[in-house]
Amino acid sequence: MPVSKRQRARITRGVQYGVLVAAVVVFALIADWHQLRMAFFDVEVAKALFPEIITTALVNTVLYTLLGFGFGLALGLVLALMRLSSVPPYRWIAVTYIEFFRGIPCLLVFIALGFGVPLAFEVALDMNITVMLSLGLVGAAYMAETIRAGIQAVPKGQTEAARSLGMSQGRAMASIVIPQAFRIVLPPLTNELILLTKDSSLVYLLGLSLTQFELANFGRDALNEHKSLTPILIAGLLYLVITLPLGQLVRRLEARTAKAR
């Protein structure tokens, strides 16, 4: 008896659901639930993490991310304008910077600024400044390209109209072009904020005191103390508390941008 396309699709979906249900049942039967609960969901260990994991680790994670994002955004805007400059040396400097910092791991930047700079110049940078520079220098390389694309996406007629009204090139760029460019690139910039949130975990390389712990370091330290993965799970959930709303914001901004087009 011939099978129609609709019936074949229904059978395929049924098989996929069956495989999924079978996998869940097999896992439920073979898993050691007591061991899993003790390893990942130890209530006593979870209670011991609060409130410091919120008042110290979560707050520091947000602080480090905002410092790096703010510095990176300002530097990224300057680099984007240099990249679009009609003066070749500015473009060369911007391209070299962008290619260099996009090509090396953020980890190496943390090591260079945290240990290399103090050794080379005999200066001790404040920890927050080191974090801000490390995250910002790398983030700026990505944000510069995003902002440049946004500026180039603004119709040239906007600049010409501003110039015809008597605005200088700089004022037209600052008042007309850049605000529109930022509206265009807001979703990718929010994505960069999410990436910096996760990169802020590299701050552990700098050797932190207890009051400077961020989520990843706090979770790892608690893991060593309690011999349980519960702190890692709690720290991961708190990262999601930050990143999931940002991801939702990105989707809304993308939808709004698409509708505006």
Side-chain angles (χ1 to χ4, degrees):
M1 180 179 177
V3 179
S4 66
K5 286 185 178 179
R6 179 175 296 181
Q7 289 173 322
R8 192 180 300 121
R10 191 178 301 166
I11 293 171
T12 302
R13 281 199 301 272
V15 170
Q16 291 175 348
Y17 278 119
V19 170
L20 180 62
V21 170
V24 172
V25 171
V26 170
F27 176 77
L29 291 176
I30 65 175
D32 185 340
W33 290 102
H34 175 73
Q35 188 63 31
L36 283 175
R37 188 182 67 80
M38 295 303 295
F40 292 98
F41 309 104
D42 192 320
V43 177
E44 294 305 318
V45 172
K47 286 181 180 177
L49 303 177
F50 291 90
E52 287 78 10
I53 196 169
I54 299 290
T55 57
T56 300
L58 181 61
V59 169
N60 283 337
T61 297
V62 173
L63 173 65
Y64 299 152
T65 302
L66 292 180
L67 285 174
F69 184 78
F71 177 68
L73 185 61
L75 182 58
L77 175 59
V78 173
L79 289 168
L81 295 175
M82 290 173 66
R83 184 88 162 76
L84 295 170
S85 172
S86 59
V87 182
Y90 282 110
R91 293 201 304 273
W92 300 338
I93 293 171
V95 170
T96 302
Y97 178 96
I98 291 168
E99 295 302 325
F100 178 78
F101 279 99
R102 286 202 310 181
I104 63 172
C106 190
L107 176 73
L108 295 185
V109 180
F110 265 95
I111 294 173
L113 288 176
F115 304 102
V117 169
L119 284 175
F121 299 100
E122 296 184 352
V123 293
L125 294 176
D126 179 78
M127 207 278 295
N128 286 336
I129 293 177
T130 304
V131 174
M132 179 183 73
L133 292 176
S134 301
L135 292 175
L137 287 173
V138 176
Y142 292 93
M143 286 189 265
E145 286 296 83
T146 301
I147 296 169
R148 177 184 64 81
I151 291 174
Q152 290 179 323
V154 176
K156 290 184 179 178
Q158 300 280 336
T159 306
E160 293 168 357
R163 295 300 304 274
S164 68
L165 292 174
M167 290 187 184
S168 64
Q169 180 69 26
R171 187 180 172 189
M173 182 67 75
S175 303
I176 305 297
V177 178
I178 290 178
Q180 293 189 64
F182 269 96
R183 278 198 291 272
I184 294 171
V185 301
L186 207 49
L189 284 180
T190 310
N191 274 328
E192 184 61 32
L193 181 61
I194 293 173
L195 294 176
L196 287 180
T197 301
K198 292 185 286 186
D199 282 345
S200 68
S201 62
L202 294 173
V203 73
Y204 79 90
L205 289 166
L206 303 179
L208 307 175
S209 66
L210 287 174
T211 58
Q212 295 169 327
F213 276 9
E214 43 67 55
L215 285 172
N217 209 359
F218 190 95
R220 190 182 62 172
D221 189 69
L223 166 67
N224 294 330
E225 179 183 350
H226 298 287
K227 309 301 180 190
S228 168
L229 290 169
T230 302
I232 299 298
L233 178 66
I234 300 292
L237 291 175
L238 289 175
Y239 271 112
L240 293 178
V241 168
I242 301 172
T243 58
L244 286 181
L246 290 175
Q248 182 67 25
L249 177 63
V250 170
R251 284 189 287 277
R252 289 192 175 188
L253 291 172
E254 287 175 340
R256 183 179 298 178
T257 303
K259 188 181 292 184
R261 290 174 183 168

